[in-house]
Amino acid sequence: MKDTSQTKPQASLPVDHATAMPAYVDRSHLVVSDLETVSSWYRRILGLSPVETSASGVTLGVAGRPLLTLTSDGSAAKAPRNAPGLFHHAFLVPDRTGLGRWLVHAAENGVRLEGASDHLVSEAIYLADPEGNGIEIYRDRPREEWNYGADGMVAMNTLPLDLQALYDEAPKNGWDGLSAGTTIGHIHLQVSGIPQADAFFRDTLGLDLMARYPGASFFATGKYHHHVAANIWNSRGAPKRQGNMTGLADYTIRFRDPAALDAAVRKLDALEIAVDRRSGVHSLTDPWGIGLKLSA
């Protein structure tokens, strides 16, 4: 059943937007313990709106675009902090004004932030939902301000973001949710090892390695700074995620070129990674026990 009562007009996205690239993250799915509390928080604090509801959960999004599904079956065990899974999912707003508007809303509601960074390619604010799932809200700087090395990687850093300046510049004319055009720009994962992450995302799925931090790799298509990141900061050497844990159940990578999707699936088959094919969606479990859906 769809709820269109809060649907806004879809915004047109620029050709260099994260979701206009050859492959991009389309949506994510969390298993939560308290569906009502977490769903209400994402609507009230993050500014998402219901798009679909079912007996087991709700899908939330912006302007009718599904971004995040929340489900709960009452039997999931709380995932330990070092388990592979979600580090954060990142909601990309269209511009600095949109980021500032959310910051004003957060300040007015006493939201506890976990950090704020200038990454050279973007400006980002970090927080967590009521069950500890990481969230980034960010805006990209124009691509002409990004710098690439001779190896094709993009220059990124983690510098302080001036939240006061962002707040001061933002409109204070009321809050009606995240700006139309907000998408999931990237997803950042906890994994057990970086060489395995490079082999999976770069060599198997065909994403480009765009940057490295100590203990982390960043992957993308279309020279974007990253669609998927993987780190071992909490999870080095951790065993596979178990299927009955709270947190990230699965996420979706969408390929614009069906041939690129077919090539990735052939490599998965060659590695004897089981893939369930239904209605054009290829579902699998990655090397760390995280669900992944691939579609064109």
Side-chain angles (χ1 to χ4, degrees):
M1 180 176 68
K2 292 194 176 183
D3 179 348
T4 59
S5 61
Q6 300 184 59
T7 297
K8 302 176 186 177
Q10 286 280 8
S12 59
L13 300 176
V15 295
D16 60 355
H17 190 272
T19 60
M21 298 299 97
Y24 60 96
V25 176
D26 191 36
R27 57 200 293 180
S28 65
H29 169 203
L30 296 178
V31 172
V32 299
S33 297
D34 187 333
L35 179 62
E36 183 176 353
T37 295
V38 177
S39 174
S40 175
W41 185 91
Y42 274 99
R43 296 195 305 269
R44 182 174 60 88
I45 298 301
L46 208 66
L48 302 182
S49 300
V51 177
E52 300 175 9
T53 59
S54 69
S56 61
V58 61
T59 295
L60 305 171
V62 174
R65 180 178 186 139
L67 300 178
L68 175 65
T69 296
L70 303 172
T71 60
S72 179
D73 62 8
S75 64
K78 182 173 175 57
R81 184 172 180 270
N82 69 334
L86 185 71
F87 189 68
H88 60 243
H89 40 215
F91 295 90
L92 173 60
V93 298
D95 49 34
R96 183 176 167 89
T97 298
L99 186 63
R101 285 183 65 253
W102 182 83
L103 178 61
V104 171
H105 168 70
E108 290 175 347
N109 285 272
V111 176
R112 179 180 176 272
L113 304 181
E114 296 189 341
S117 298
D118 179 342
H119 292 302
L120 303 182
V121 294
S122 63
E123 294 180 315
I125 300 172
Y126 298 93
L127 66 158
D129 73 16
E131 295 193 1
N133 297 295
I135 297 166
E136 174 183 341
I137 302 176
Y138 76 110
R139 72 100 180 180
D140 278 332
R141 282 201 167 92
R143 285 238 189 169
E144 56 265 26
E145 297 180 18
W146 302 7
N147 292 306
Y148 295 88
D151 57 3
M153 293 193 190
V154 66
M156 294 197 291
N157 205 334
T158 300
L159 306 172
L161 177 63
D162 188 342
L163 284 176
Q164 188 62 55
L166 182 63
Y167 179 92
D168 291 344
E169 293 171 18
K172 314 293 191 300
N173 57 354
W175 170 255
D176 59 354
L178 287 172
S179 305
T182 296
T183 65
I184 291 184
H186 65 267
I187 194 164
H188 194 145
L189 306 174
Q190 296 191 159
V191 300
S192 306
I194 294 303
Q196 190 179 37
D198 291 350
F200 184 73
F201 292 109
R202 179 188 61 193
D203 303 335
T204 302
L205 298 188
L207 308 184
D208 297 323
L209 179 65
M210 292 305 300
R212 287 195 189 276
Y213 278 15
S217 289
F218 298 78
F219 309 93
T221 63
K223 306 298 286 182
Y224 191 63
H225 51 75
H226 64 297
H227 289 106
V228 179
N231 78 60
I232 56 170
W233 300 329
N234 300 317
S235 52
R236 182 192 299 268
K240 276 189 176 183
R241 177 182 184 81
Q242 299 302 305
N244 63 338
M245 288 179 175
T246 59
L248 184 64
D250 60 74
Y251 65 102
T252 301
I253 296 178
R254 187 175 295 274
F255 291 77
R256 294 190 176 278
D257 181 1
L261 172 58
D262 291 344
V265 172
R266 286 196 300 271
K267 290 181 179 179
L268 291 166
D269 289 340
L271 294 172
E272 299 183 345
I273 296 176
V275 178
D276 180 29
R277 299 162 170 85
R278 296 186 190 180
S279 303
V281 178
H282 301 70
S283 301
L284 62 136
T285 302
D286 74 14
W288 309 281
I290 306 166
L292 173 60
K293 295 179 179 180
L294 307 176
S295 66

